[in-house]
Amino acid sequence: MNRALNGEGGPGPRWLSDEEQRVWRAYLHATTLLEDHLDRQLQRDAGMPHIYYGLLVQLAQAPRRRKRMTELAIDAKITRSRLSHAIARLEKNGWVRREDCPSDKRGQNAVLTDEGFGVLERTAPGHVEAVRQVMFDRLTPEQVMQLGEIMQLMAEGLQPQDTGADLPWLR
Amino acid sequence: MNRALNGEGGPGPRWLSDEEQRVWRAYLHATTLLEDHLDRQLQRDAGMPHIYYGLLVQLAQAPRRRKRMTELAIDAKITRSRLSHAIARLEKNGWVRREDCPSDKRGQNAVLTDEGFGVLERTAPGHVEAVRQVMFDRLTPEQVMQLGEIMQLMAEGLQPQDTGADLPWLR
DNA sequence: ACCCCATCCTTGAAAGTTGAACTAAATGGG
DNA sequence: CCCATTTAGTTCAACTTTCAAGGATGGGGT
């Protein structure tokens, strides 16, 4: 990441060009500021961090406002462990409750309560406005499209996948 | 964020269009996957999370490999409190040490040790490679340029600034 | 000199996250 | 039917982050 660290003469790492460094820094700068901004906005207006809010949104969109824990974890891109803690907290708030899964006795459903839905109804407009102010009100429609494509491409390189090393069926 | 939450008839919140929702989700998806990816990569290869690595990079780039705590906190976009804890941890690792600021007895400099610099030398290539694989190897030069501009614009809407409310000189 | 207040940084407790270990239940081949 | 394996979810300990409070120094006005 830093040219000053380059001190050898081999084929060496492919350092970033000045332009690439500039873009990478802009990316880090913007994404961290935005995440901090949304975390504060939601902590203030909804009493929970962004990721917890996202869990409620997922549940609100799910059929019958409920979802299996593992599925929810995958959709929200968090570990099952983290989800366990998060749901425990949301349960204390009365916004979510747990429910045994009828078809699989190991399973749990997280269910959005009416109170939880109410919180979303009250806070979603402010949240959307915050997102809009930072992203969509500042970009041209063309840039929005470009951003969508770029993020799509980056995500494709990050799909939870094997590293390619040490796969049993390759040994 | 969710049309299903819209239940009133007033002027109402400006919900996101389908296209905007798609882009927003792609953004969240890609940025969280990337941050997780880099955190794991660095935790594995360098024994610290991405943000701590960033602190070492800042110090490596600073004159005499040292920086005032507050300045470092601002550059790394974290609170002073968080920085205090982080530097304490890096100090335990022997990668950073604290130094009283000669000109201001309240001040502290964080100084990158030779060991800390060594860690960077060893791990920077792998980190750059990780960044490259996800971002620069997957985007066209034009997309890289577009991303830079977009991130620049978004950051401008997020500069640590007043909310516009309760400014003393407006009362 | 003195006082007031801003700035610099740290601290401690509470909240959140992580990764590994663990329990329970489902699954599938002998 | 049995046992080994896999899957679902929780729990524990270690670590990180946040928030509010606090101690110390600097600086400007009087």
Side-chain angles (χ1 to χ4, degrees), chain A residues 11-25:
Chain A
R14 298 182 296 150
W15 296 106
L16 298 185
S17 70
D18 289 351
E19 162 75 354
E20 287 169 337
Q21 280 198 39
R22 201 180 60 68
V23 172
W24 177 240
R25 279 197 242 269

Side-chain angles (χ1 to χ4, degrees), chain A residues 39-135:
Chain A
D39 262 339
R40 285 207 195 83
Q41 186 262 315
L42 284 170
Q43 191 68 56
R44 174 166 50 78
D45 298 345
M48 63 190 137
H50 189 199
I51 188 82
Y52 287 34
Y53 179 89
L55 295 175
L56 297 193
V57 171
Q58 293 276 350
L59 291 178
Q61 294 175 332
R64 305 184 58 227
R65 292 184 191 163
R66 70 198 59 206
K67 220 167 201 179
R68 282 290 291 269
M69 294 291 282
T70 293
E71 194 187 350
L72 184 51
I74 291 170
D75 293 347
K77 288 118 197 152
I78 62 179
T79 60
R80 290 194 296 281
S81 170
R82 189 175 176 183
L83 181 63
S84 268
H85 293 296
I87 293 295
R89 197 270 220 187
L90 292 171
E91 213 169 10
K92 255 188 224 167
N93 281 292
W95 298 335
V96 168
R97 62 185 169 78
R98 282 179 225 247
E99 175 188 78
D100 288 348
C101 176
S103 60
D104 186 335
K105 285 179 186 166
R106 297 168 302 178
Q108 292 278 104
N109 281 321
V111 185
L112 185 65
T113 63
D114 289 344
E115 279 187 43
F117 191 77
V119 170
L120 275 186
E121 280 187 317
R122 285 192 296 282
T123 59
H127 179 60
V128 172
E129 192 53 35
V131 170
R132 201 175 262 299
Q133 276 179 15
V134 173
M135 181 172 288

Side-chain angles (χ1 to χ4, degrees), chain B residues 16-67:
Chain B
L16 298 185
S17 70
D18 289 351
E19 161 77 354
E20 286 168 337
Q21 280 196 40
R22 203 181 58 70
V23 172
W24 177 239
R25 280 197 242 267
Y27 172 87
L28 288 181
H29 187 217
T31 54
T32 62
L33 285 184
L34 177 48
E35 187 53 21
D36 286 3
H37 181 66
L38 294 184
D39 261 339
R40 286 207 195 84
Q41 185 262 315
L42 284 169
Q43 191 69 56
R44 173 167 51 79
D45 298 345
M48 63 191 138
H50 190 199
I51 188 83
Y52 287 33
Y53 180 88
L55 295 175
L56 297 192
V57 171
Q58 293 275 349
L59 291 177
Q61 293 174 331
R64 305 185 56 229
R65 291 184 191 164
R66 69 197 61 204
K67 222 168 199 179

Side-chain angles (χ1 to χ4, degrees), chain B residues 68-70 80-81 84-85 98 106 108:
Chain B
R68 282 290 290 270
M69 292 292 279
T70 292
R80 284 188 296 255
S81 171
S84 269
H85 290 299
R98 282 179 225 247
R106 295 168 305 178
Q108 291 279 104

